[in-house]
Amino acid sequence: MLDGVDFVARAGEATAIVGPSGCGKSTLLDVLAGLRIPDSGEADPGGDVALMPQGDALMPWLTMRDNVAMGARLGGVPRAEAVGRADAAIAALGLARFGDHYPHALSGGMRQRAALARTMLAGRATWLLDEPFGALDALTRSEMHDVLRELRANEHPTILLVTHDVAEAVALCDRILVAGPRPMRIVDDISVDGGDPAATASAVLTSLRQAGALA
């Protein structure tokens, strides 16, 4: 599913990968997270990573607090300290009143906030985000963009974001890698340099079209 994918993400940089469904974007994140072993080549994420899969992947039998604390617990933090960090993260995201709620009682946006907080508390320098906001409505997605920007400003992670939303990639990232159809290959590397967002989005769409990823 991957065909000579070759790129380097700089520390602290947010990089989006945009491409057609089924081309191998999620597979790439799995390889970087160590969940799949490549048949050839090397994948070096530059240290430990935290993977946020599609959807929030919250454990339904755990409260929001315990779900968020799981990130720190997996990083080796003792339970009491992990819960304290979770409460602080939940409060910072405006969810202090919902720490004792179970996932079924939370809105989609609340669940995604909790998933991002769990990713942050894992203490990893690199965050792999696989379509984290794809299932949200437009208003909630916009709110989650603000949350991610704030977390990025505070935590300074290196981010690799898989998304189908070109506008989202332009709004959240410093750089966009355009992936061609399966097997995945990188066909363009576009900088988001603070210029005209519409022009950047147009360049991405042109690359997708030229690669045969758009009808």
Side-chain angles (χ1 to χ4, degrees):
M1 294 180 70
L2 305 178
D3 182 17
V5 175
D6 185 10
F7 69 93
V8 175
R10 291 173 284 276
E13 180 180 64
T15 301
I17 299 179
V18 176
S21 297
C23 73
K25 301 184 298 298
S26 295
T27 298
L28 175 61
L29 294 195
D30 286 347
V31 169
L32 290 172
L35 300 178
R36 297 196 188 195
I37 305 301
D39 295 328
S40 62
E42 297 181 359
D44 181 6
D48 292 335
V49 303
L51 172 65
M52 181 176 170
Q54 294 184 23
D56 53 72
L58 298 181
M59 303 300 177
W61 58 87
L62 296 179
T63 64
M64 177 194 285
R65 175 181 296 106
D66 287 335
N67 266 291
V68 173
M70 186 184 299
R73 292 283 286 146
L74 291 174
V77 176
R79 173 173 171 73
E81 183 179 348
V83 169
R85 292 186 186 182
D87 280 335
I90 289 170
L93 294 176
L95 299 173
R97 295 190 295 113
F98 301 96
D100 292 323
H101 287 55
Y102 289 87
H104 71 83
L106 303 172
S107 70
M110 291 176 180
R111 292 167 64 107
Q112 292 302 100
R113 281 182 169 85
L116 270 176
R118 179 182 58 194
T119 300
M120 174 186 70
L121 291 187
R124 307 296 194 252
T126 299
W127 298 358
L128 307 177
L129 309 180
D130 191 357
E131 291 280 0
F133 314 129
L136 301 177
D137 63 80
L139 180 59
T140 305
R141 187 182 303 119
S142 178
E143 293 174 350
M144 290 306 304
H145 289 176
D146 290 339
V147 170
L148 182 58
R149 289 189 190 96
E150 184 173 355
L151 289 176
R152 185 185 176 196
N154 292 334
E155 303 298 324
H156 310 291
T158 301
I159 293 175
L160 192 59
L161 169 70
V162 165
T163 179
H164 286 93
D165 188 334
V166 173
E168 180 173 82
V170 173
L172 295 177
C173 294
D174 306 303
R175 173 189 184 196
I176 301 172
L177 302 179
V178 180
R182 183 175 180 172
M184 179 181 165
R185 64 197 189 283
I186 302 300
V187 299
D188 208 350
D189 186 342
I190 297 173
S191 175
V192 181
D193 58 5
D196 180 9
T200 303
S202 178
V204 174
L205 291 171
T206 297
S207 290
L208 287 168
R209 190 172 295 108
Q210 290 174 343
L214 294 178

